[in-house]
Amino acid sequence: MHPPTSNQKKPQDLFLVCGLKSLGQHCVAILKEYDVKVSAIEDVQPEHWEVPEVPNLLKKLIIGDCRQPSVLEQAGIRQCRSILLVTRNERINIEAAFAARRLNPHVRLIVRSDKQNFNKLLWENLGNFVAFEPTHLSAHAFALTALGSEAIGYFTLEGQLLQVIKHQVQAKDGWCNGKPVHRLNLTTRRILSHKPVSSNPLKELFGWNPEAEVEVGDTLVYIDVAYDLAFSEQHRQSHRQKWQWQQFLQSITTKNLKDKIAQFWQSYYQSQNQIRRIATIYAITVLILWLVGIVLYRLYYPDITIQEAFYATAVLLLGGYGDLFGSVEFASQPKPSDDMPWWLRFFSLGMTLTGQAFVGVLYALLTDALVTSRFHFFNSRPPIPQRNHLVIIGLNRLGQKVAALLQELNQPLVGIHPTTLDQETLPDMPLIVGNATEALTKANLSHAKSIILVGDDNMENLEIGLMAHAMNPATTLIIRSQDRQFSDNIAPLFPYAQVICGAALSAEVFACAAFGENVLSLFHLNEQIVMVTEYKIENGDTLNGLLLSEIASGYSVVPILYQKYQRDNYSLMPWYDVKLDVGDRLIVLATSSSLQRIEWGEMLPRLWQVQIEKALTANAIIYGAEEIVLITGCSSTNARQWMNNLPGVLPIPLYKHQAQRLVRELTKVQVLANLIFIGQP
């Protein structure tokens, strides 16, 4: 990441970083690339510098408590543009934010905090306040790396899931092969980069040629709308219900039924529950009485069938003594009570009483099972995937966030954690509870696509990762590191592992937010971090009054969402003919250097002009003037004047993408035009 060179003197704003652990040190290094002054506060003198050059980058280092007004005064809080509160203690960060706001009502507060509701309230009451949690910011990097596919970025805007794809063109790709790059842009897709097979990776998002034809072997990077997240959630719920019914149907198969019966008897004999033991005794007693009753009725009434004796005994056991002996005719004996011996009638009464007692015990048993199990069947987790799945080891905050992101992408996965999770936490994810080294064999690791280790111990992550690689060398291995030096040392020694330092990723967002940008997400492209950044246009902004085409080419950013002030509707992948006004909302993809240009208002030079030869028809003059107004933003009076004095060169310098588009559109309305290069890049 290198800021653009310029002879112009940059404003020397003062930025204050509180907390010089890993995240704070990376923030200092990134802020200095913006050519600003940076001071820092730390409670104790740092003994270890993860970023060795930090001491030389600081204007001033104050040792003390950043919550104390005197310490903040000493660090120059009243002259600060922004203060980054990135200690590892959320309480300290928020208390220091209160103190800083009291001393400097205009300072921008960048706080490390995961208290989302509280952060929202602070933003509403304090103003100029933003909060991030590093684990949430780095979760996207872990999730995307684990996918191992062409997707290099995912993020959501207005309930829509957008994906960034890096695709190498194949001969079968009819949608792009042999077509000019500009024709690949749609209302649901926007090209970010086109690298011909023989060229080097582009450093700027708008460094590609729109007129170049796509050939086999070229690399395209584009963003498109994947799907609606609301629909995805409905699909996942439907899938979960389908799985539950499959589990129910499987539970009544012969093999599973035998297993259930065996488990039933084993649990009953081992149980200390009085109700279960009594139910077992009653069940055996009722079964014996049923068999004895069938035999006795069959012997005493030889004219009835075994089936009739069976049902007569069942009626008695279910409390039907009055029904059987009161009004129901019993086969060839209309009134069996007339000549039935007293002992058989007494036995029948005993069966009725025993059956009634058994039904009561059965109800008690079912009630106890329902209450104690807490509806275990419907709340149980899905089975462990068999193949092509992802394994997440360590379901801390970062692990849970990574798992949630992968579930949004409908990826099969299984989690491994030392202890059980609440049923409400990731209920749709299979879970293996226990020691990670022992649980690897249960996770079907030999058929897994990726394994993600996000525990809090660097060495433990590495140890388990090496074990997993030994079990399945083909799996993608992603290891979390909390120390950049550890990452730099490990990565070359184990090239099959991808070691990610979350602090280095998160620092980019914190540093950019210090300049007023709202960073929504990030991803990697050509060894650069690309940030999804939101702007609200205000008076004096460097973006105010510019066309989207000028913003895109002049600052090397990609506009992906535009919303007019005080309007509910918005445009994804907007056309570049829109001019920004105060109050408008704009979301762009930008690198750090692009954000620096916007911060300083330094647009790239306009090096092209359009020469118009002639209009082939009278209507072409009118339509041509309209296209000039639309694409260049000039007045309609000037455009008509230029079109009435052909041939001529439009006196407006343009960016290459602008000029090429203008030539294409003029050609469509029968106006002959071509490009003129007017300067060196």
Side-chain angles (χ1 to χ4, degrees):
M1 185 178 58
H2 302 285
T5 58
S6 175
N7 296 326
Q8 180 181 353
K9 181 71 174 177
K10 306 299 186 303
Q12 291 292 314
D13 295 308
L14 177 61
F15 292 77
L16 180 59
V17 178
C18 298
L20 286 180
K21 298 297 188 293
S22 181
L23 177 60
Q25 293 182 36
H26 284 93
C27 287
V28 171
I30 294 171
L31 285 170
K32 286 302 294 183
E33 295 188 12
Y34 285 81
D35 193 19
V36 296
K37 299 176 182 177
V38 183
S39 295
I41 299 175
E42 180 59 276
D43 54 353
V44 296
Q45 180 67 37
E47 298 180 357
H48 169 69
W49 293 102
E50 185 176 325
V51 184
E53 60 270 20
V54 166
N56 298 326
L57 300 177
L58 292 173
K59 175 187 177 184
K60 188 185 299 183
L61 173 59
I62 307 299
I63 304 301
D65 189 343
C66 60
R67 294 172 292 181
Q68 299 298 322
S70 58
V71 175
L72 291 172
E73 291 273 16
Q74 188 178 357
I77 185 62
R78 296 188 186 276
Q79 291 76 43
C80 280
R81 175 176 175 179
S82 296
I83 177 171
L84 289 78
L85 299 152
V86 292
T87 73
R88 294 177 178 175
N89 189 311
E90 282 187 344
R91 186 184 184 90
I92 292 177
N93 293 337
I94 294 175
E95 290 181 3
F98 294 153
R101 171 63 80 238
R102 185 167 63 88
L103 296 173
N104 185 346
H106 305 292
V107 69
R108 180 166 175 79
L109 303 172
I110 317 298
V111 180
R112 176 180 182 174
S113 172
D114 191 32
K115 300 182 182 297
Q116 298 182 6
N117 292 332
F118 190 33
N119 293 337
K120 183 179 179 180
L121 293 172
L122 292 177
W123 173 77
E124 293 174 350
N125 288 274
L126 295 180
N128 207 10
F129 173 97
V130 65
F132 300 107
E133 170 52 42
T135 56
H136 291 180
L137 296 175
S138 57
H140 286 80
F142 286 94
L144 292 169
T145 306
L147 291 177
S149 63
E150 292 184 329
I152 61 174
Y154 282 96
F155 54 90
T156 60
L157 293 178
E158 304 296 338
Q160 303 285 326
L161 180 67
L162 281 72
Q163 59 182 352
V164 182
I165 303 296
K166 187 175 184 179
H167 174 69
Q168 188 170 26
V169 178
Q170 309 295 324
K172 60 182 180 181
D173 294 333
W175 67 275
C176 61
N177 189 13
K179 297 180 179 179
V181 182
H182 70 84
R183 289 184 56 190
L184 304 181
N185 286 323
L186 303 173
T187 56
T188 58
R189 181 174 63 215
R190 186 59 48 88
I191 300 299
L192 306 183
S193 173
H194 168 237
K195 184 185 82 66
V197 64
S198 59
S199 65
N200 297 322
L202 301 175
K203 294 184 178 181
E204 300 289 350
L205 291 178
F206 262 74
W208 47 276
N209 182 7
E211 302 293 342
E213 287 193 359
V214 180
E215 299 178 354
V216 175
D218 292 0
T219 300
L220 285 173
V221 181
Y222 60 91
I223 179 174
D224 68 2
V225 180
Y227 51 77
D228 191 296
L229 286 179
F231 174 81
S232 175
E233 178 64 23
Q234 294 175 0
H235 174 75
R236 188 160 64 247
Q237 292 295 336
S238 174
H239 178 76
R240 177 169 172 79
Q241 293 175 1
K242 180 180 178 182
W243 168 78
Q244 290 174 346
W245 278 109
Q246 290 176 345
Q247 290 293 101
F248 173 74
L249 293 175
Q250 291 175 2
S251 69
I252 61 177
T253 61
T254 304
K255 180 179 178 181
N256 286 341
L257 188 59
K258 291 180 179 179
D259 294 338
K260 296 293 183 183
I261 294 174
Q263 294 174 5
F264 172 81
W265 283 107
Q266 183 179 6
S267 64
Y268 267 38
Y269 279 116
Q270 295 176 352
S271 176
Q272 300 299 319
N273 192 310
Q274 289 286 349
I275 297 179
R276 292 188 175 183
R277 290 205 298 268
I278 294 173
T280 304
I281 297 172
Y282 263 105
I284 296 173
T285 302
V286 168
L287 183 60
I288 294 173
L289 289 175
W290 200 340
L291 296 175
V292 172
I294 294 172
V295 173
L296 289 177
Y297 280 117
R298 185 71 178 86
L299 292 176
Y300 192 77
Y301 296 102
D303 293 334
I304 68 172
T305 63
I306 294 179
Q307 184 178 7
E308 290 174 325
F310 175 87
Y311 286 118
T313 309
V315 169
L316 290 172
L317 288 172
L318 294 175
Y321 181 85
D323 297 332
L324 191 62
F325 290 99
S327 60
V328 179
E329 293 188 358
F330 189 41
S332 61
Q333 304 293 329
K335 292 186 179 181
S337 58
D338 293 343
D339 55 357
M340 178 180 287
W342 68 268
W343 59 267
L344 184 55
R345 188 161 185 171
F346 183 77
F347 175 77
S348 301
L349 179 61
M351 282 197 297
T352 298
L353 295 176
T354 304
Q356 289 288 81
F358 175 71
V359 171
V361 173
L362 184 61
Y363 277 128
L365 179 63
L366 291 174
T367 303
D368 177 71
L370 289 173
V371 173
T372 55
S373 66
R374 299 173 64 186
F375 304 99
H376 176 71
F377 170 74
F378 290 102
N379 287 332
S380 58
R381 293 181 180 273
I384 298 172
Q386 296 300 310
R387 59 180 59 252
N388 201 31
H389 57 286
L390 299 96
V391 182
I392 302 178
I393 299 180
L395 292 173
N396 48 22
R397 286 193 301 178
L398 175 59
Q400 292 180 24
K401 182 64 176 177
V402 173
L405 290 172
L406 292 172
Q407 284 188 326
E408 287 184 359
L409 303 175
N410 294 321
Q411 295 296 313
L413 70 156
V414 57
I416 298 177
H417 198 60
T419 58
T420 58
L421 300 176
D422 293 337
Q423 193 62 45
E424 295 77 15
T425 303
L426 301 170
D428 297 333
M429 183 190 69
L431 178 65
I432 301 175
V433 179
N435 184 276
T437 57
E438 299 174 357
L440 288 177
T441 56
K442 302 178 184 178
N444 296 326
L445 189 62
S446 58
H447 299 291
K449 179 169 64 174
S450 299
I451 179 170
I452 313 167
L453 299 114
V454 290
D456 298 322
D457 189 315
N458 290 340
M459 297 307 297
E460 184 178 357
N461 288 340
L462 179 60
E463 178 187 1
I464 299 172
L466 296 178
M467 291 177 57
H469 179 73
M471 296 172 64
N472 182 3
T475 188
T476 302
L477 190 63
I478 302 101
I479 300 176
R480 175 194 183 190
S481 167
Q482 301 192 75
D483 187 323
R484 186 175 179 180
Q485 290 185 359
F486 181 83
S487 303
D488 295 341
N489 292 333
I490 293 301
L493 299 178
F494 306 100
Y496 52 81
Q498 301 193 48
V499 186
I500 299 177
C501 179
L505 292 172
S506 303
E508 293 270 2
V509 177
F510 278 86
C512 290
F515 290 91
E517 288 84 3
N518 182 18
V519 180
L520 306 178
S521 184
L522 54 87
F523 60 91
H524 279 86
L525 175 61
N526 298 334
E527 299 183 354
Q528 296 185 91
I529 294 178
V530 179
M531 283 162 277
V532 184
T533 308
E534 180 180 22
Y535 287 95
K536 292 288 184 65
I537 309 304
E538 299 177 356
N539 280 318
D541 280 355
T542 56
L543 303 180
N544 188 20
L546 295 178
L547 293 169
L548 290 186
S549 57
E550 296 175 308
I551 294 171
S553 298
Y555 292 120
S556 293
V557 300
V558 180
I560 57 174
L561 185 145
Y562 168 75
Q563 186 174 17
K564 188 67 176 174
Y565 178 58
Q566 290 185 340
R567 290 189 183 178
D568 295 332
N569 58 319
Y570 58 89
S571 300
L572 281 176
M573 315 299 174
W575 295 110
Y576 287 169
D577 305 329
V578 177
K579 180 176 289 188
L580 292 187
D581 293 318
V582 174
D584 291 354
R585 177 183 175 218
L586 179 67
I587 297 179
V588 301
L589 304 181
T591 63
S592 180
S593 58
S594 298
L595 295 178
Q596 291 175 33
R597 292 193 189 105
I598 295 176
E599 166 68 16
W600 299 328
E602 288 188 347
M603 302 183 72
L604 296 173
R606 305 168 193 253
L607 304 175
W608 299 84
Q609 284 183 300
V610 173
Q611 181 177 14
I612 302 178
E613 300 293 342
K614 63 178 179 178
L616 300 180
T617 65
N619 288 336
I621 296 177
I622 299 174
Y623 296 144
E626 292 177 353
E627 294 297 339
I628 293 173
V629 172
L630 193 65
I631 296 174
T632 68
C634 70
S635 66
S636 58
T637 301
N638 290 337
R640 286 193 298 268
Q641 180 181 352
W642 297 331
M643 287 298 298
N644 288 324
N645 292 277
L646 300 180
V649 177
L650 297 183
I652 303 176
L654 302 171
Y655 293 106
K656 186 175 183 180
H657 283 226
Q658 262 186 305
Q660 288 175 319
R661 185 182 169 212
L662 180 56
V663 170
R664 291 195 302 269
E665 297 302 322
L666 289 175
T667 302
K668 291 179 182 179
V669 297
Q670 297 184 310
V671 176
L672 302 182
N674 55 73
L675 297 182
I676 299 177
F677 182 64
I678 59 174
Q680 294 295 327

